[in-house]
């Protein structure tokens, strides 16, 4: 199993993100020029490829690499601006704040964040 961090995505997001959170992201994707059909095609790709990577990790990594540049282009931002990471932080704020692992790591002060790309 892969446990390396995903470049450009805060570690708290990587810990707290679950596939059940996808509906929370769709309105934010739409505002950034990514329609739900595009997100569905990425999910379909995961299913068709038979990946052995956990879905949540695969989704975050794929969207960081593929959708972040598209959102930045749509929003007229620098290609490396951390739009996807920031979208996740806003959309998942409550989930991150309530995640038991994140809370535990914050208490022990052992939680670092990935540097934005």
């Amino acid at each position: 199993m892969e446990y390396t961090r995903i470049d450009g995505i805060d570690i708290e997001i990587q810990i707290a993100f679950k596939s059940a959170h996808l509906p929370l992201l769709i309105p934010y994707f739409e505002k950034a020029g990514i329609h739900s059909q595009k997100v569905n095609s990425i999910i379909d790709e995961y299913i068709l490829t038979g990946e052995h990577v956990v879905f949540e990790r695969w989704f975050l990594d794929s969207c960081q690499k593929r959708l972040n540049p598209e959102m930045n282009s749509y929003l007229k931002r620098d290609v490396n601006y951390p739009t996807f990471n920031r979208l996740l932080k806003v959309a998942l704020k409550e989930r991150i704040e309530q995640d038991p692992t994140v809370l535990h790591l914050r208490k022990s002060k052992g939680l670092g964040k990935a540097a934005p790309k």
Side-chain angles (χ1 to χ4, degrees), residues 40-59:
N40 289 337
S41 72
I42 289 174
I43 294 167
D44 290 344
E45 180 183 317
Y46 173 80
I47 294 165
L48 291 173
T49 59
E51 284 285 346
H52 296 289
V53 176
V54 174
F55 172 77
E56 288 83 358
R57 176 180 172 68
W58 187 88
F59 183 81

Side-chain angles (χ1 to χ4, degrees), residues 2-15:
E2 183 77 36
Y3 290 107
T4 59
R5 292 184 179 184
I6 300 167
D7 286 339
I9 304 294
D10 289 353
I11 191 66
E12 290 182 352
I13 294 168
Q14 293 178 52
I15 291 168

Side-chain angles (χ1 to χ4, degrees), residues 15-75:
I15 291 168
F17 177 71
K18 307 289 182 260
S19 61
H21 299 148
L22 288 173
L24 299 172
L25 305 181
I26 299 301
Y28 293 94
F29 279 137
E30 296 276 342
K31 289 179 183 177
I34 303 296
H35 300 288
S36 59
Q37 297 87 350
K38 177 82 171 184
V39 176
N40 289 337
S41 72
I42 289 174
I43 294 167
D44 290 344
E45 180 183 317
Y46 173 80
I47 294 165
L48 291 173
T49 59
E51 284 285 346
H52 296 289
V53 176
V54 174
F55 172 77
E56 288 83 358
R57 176 180 172 68
W58 187 88
F59 183 81
L60 292 176
D61 191 42
S62 294
C63 290
Q64 174 63 15
K65 290 175 181 169
R66 294 166 50 189
L67 297 185
N68 192 62
E70 284 186 42
M71 289 187 289
N72 286 335
S73 175
Y74 178 82
L75 297 168

Side-chain angles (χ1 to χ4, degrees), residues 86-105:
R86 291 188 178 201
L87 178 153
L88 292 167
K89 284 171 74 169
V90 171
L92 302 175
K93 184 177 182 354
E94 281 185 38
R95 301 319 189 279
I96 294 167
E97 298 292 325
Q98 297 170 358
D99 186 273
T101 303
V102 170
L103 292 172
H104 174 75
L105 291 172

